[in-house]
Amino acid sequence: MKAYNLFLTGFLLITFFMPAFLAEPCTAAFAPSNNITLERGGMTWEYQEQITDNESVVFRNFIDLEAGNSDKFVNAWEILKAEIILRDQMEESVKTKPDVKLNGTSEPVKVTDVDFVLSKEALGGIEKTSSITNSATVNYTFGKPIDQEANIWFMGTPTSNVTINLPAGYDVEKTEGLNNKTQESGNNHTVLKGNFSPERNITLWISENETYKAEMQERKRIIEQNAENKTNASVNKTRAAGKAVEASKSSGFFKDIFIWFYQIVQKVNLV
């Protein structure tokens, strides 16, 4: 995800409107982190970035200029407008230059939703240097679900922290570009943690766990068998009820015949 680049785009707009910022370079102070959750049919990329020091001053200026009235104060309404601006820019960015590839191509990867939340920490005078923590979420779908084996490529912020949650029942076979990697497993889920490399690309090769696959197939068989047994029991119950009604009708029929026959005999005897 290129939320980092998105902020830099905002800063370029600021420098265009405020040349004074060019006279004294800002001390870049970003602390981005990423949380990626993979599913067979898509994924979610949650991004969070903390802006501190002079960069927070620049960002507040951006909000005041682009979404406000340049009164050197950021209010709640300006924050809401800035969220829309940044969300639209982010959506255009990830669609123009894809940051996710499945099996070497971005063709099957579609962006379905983008959300951007600008922290209320930005409220107040534009000269404040207190930190601002913003977050964004991008949802993707895959044109074809992940098969038994797949490789997935991500482009993120260089050296930023990342957590990658694999789909249930998948193992990681190989990674590239994931520095300081650690791996955790539990409840049929594998979680990778580390940092994007300076080249900002990570590639994962994953495969379906055969034991998990067998367990899912057995569970499916049991569910189908239970459904079939339930259907058969319902059919048998219906048949039994039908037979009971039929027997009742037969018993009543013969009873009526007997009464009719008895009445005839009585009349004969009277004669």
Side-chain angles (χ1 to χ4, degrees):
M1 182 182 298
K2 293 170 288 305
Y4 179 83
N5 293 336
L6 177 62
F7 287 139
L8 294 184
T9 301
F11 297 152
L12 290 176
L13 291 173
I14 293 172
T15 57
F16 179 77
F17 288 107
M18 299 183 65
F21 273 91
L22 294 175
E24 185 177 351
C26 297
T27 58
F30 293 94
S33 61
N34 311 268
N35 191 304
I36 299 171
T37 301
L38 288 167
E39 301 291 348
R40 292 174 184 262
M43 58 170 279
T44 300
W45 192 329
E46 297 173 314
Y47 184 94
Q48 191 174 79
E49 181 174 60
Q50 186 181 54
I51 308 172
T52 61
D53 302 327
N54 286 346
E55 292 289 9
S56 66
V57 176
V58 175
F59 193 70
R60 286 184 174 91
N61 272 275
F62 163 68
I63 297 171
D64 188 41
L65 285 172
E66 291 300 299
N69 55 6
S70 303
D71 64 351
K72 301 186 183 301
F73 187 89
V74 176
N75 60 42
W77 178 245
E78 291 170 347
I79 286 179
L80 291 175
K81 290 176 65 177
E83 285 179 345
I84 295 173
I85 294 172
L86 294 170
R87 182 189 64 208
D88 291 346
Q89 288 187 10
M90 177 179 288
E91 185 171 7
E92 181 181 356
S93 178
V94 295
K95 288 182 177 179
T96 302
K97 190 174 182 181
D99 53 357
V100 179
K101 294 181 181 179
L102 180 61
N103 295 324
T105 175
S106 61
E107 186 62 28
V109 183
K110 305 298 181 184
V111 176
T112 58
D113 185 54
V114 177
D115 189 28
F116 193 99
V117 178
L118 208 164
S119 173
K120 292 181 179 179
E121 296 166 341
L123 288 169
I126 60 174
E127 298 302 325
K128 288 172 60 178
T129 58
S130 57
S131 65
I132 304 171
T133 302
N134 302 319
S135 61
T137 302
V138 181
N139 295 316
Y140 307 76
T141 59
F142 300 149
K144 183 181 179 181
I146 295 176
D147 207 345
Q148 294 181 353
E149 295 182 346
N151 67 79
I152 306 171
W153 175 91
F154 310 103
M155 180 173 66
T157 305
T159 72
S160 63
N161 297 331
V162 60
T163 297
I164 305 174
N165 304 275
L166 268 59
Y170 277 79
D171 297 327
V172 59
E173 303 295 337
K174 179 183 175 183
T175 67
E176 283 186 1
L178 180 59
N179 292 348
N180 304 315
K181 182 182 74 174
T182 62
Q183 180 173 329
E184 302 172 0
S185 298
N187 296 324
N188 293 316
H189 281 82
T190 297
V191 179
L192 299 173
K193 294 183 179 181
N195 304 88
F196 275 92
S197 68
E199 290 74 27
R200 69 179 187 167
N201 298 324
I202 293 175
T203 305
L204 305 181
W205 284 262
I206 63 175
S207 64
E208 192 174 25
N209 184 291
E210 291 299 322
T211 301
Y212 179 80
K213 181 180 177 181
E215 289 176 356
M216 290 300 99
Q217 290 176 341
E218 178 62 16
R219 183 179 299 179
K220 181 180 178 182
R221 186 193 68 78
I222 293 173
I223 292 173
E224 291 175 347
Q225 184 64 49
N226 289 340
E228 183 179 351
N229 292 342
K230 187 175 181 180
T231 300
N232 291 338
S234 178
V235 170
N236 292 337
K237 185 177 180 181
T238 301
R239 287 176 178 173
K243 288 180 179 180
V245 171
E246 182 179 349
S248 176
K249 288 182 178 178
S250 298
S251 175
F253 174 76
F254 286 114
K255 181 179 179 181
D256 293 340
I257 291 293
F258 175 79
I259 293 173
W260 174 75
F261 180 74
Y262 178 78
Q263 289 173 345
I264 292 176
V265 171
Q266 288 292 92
K267 288 180 180 181
V268 170
N269 290 336
L270 291 173
V271 175

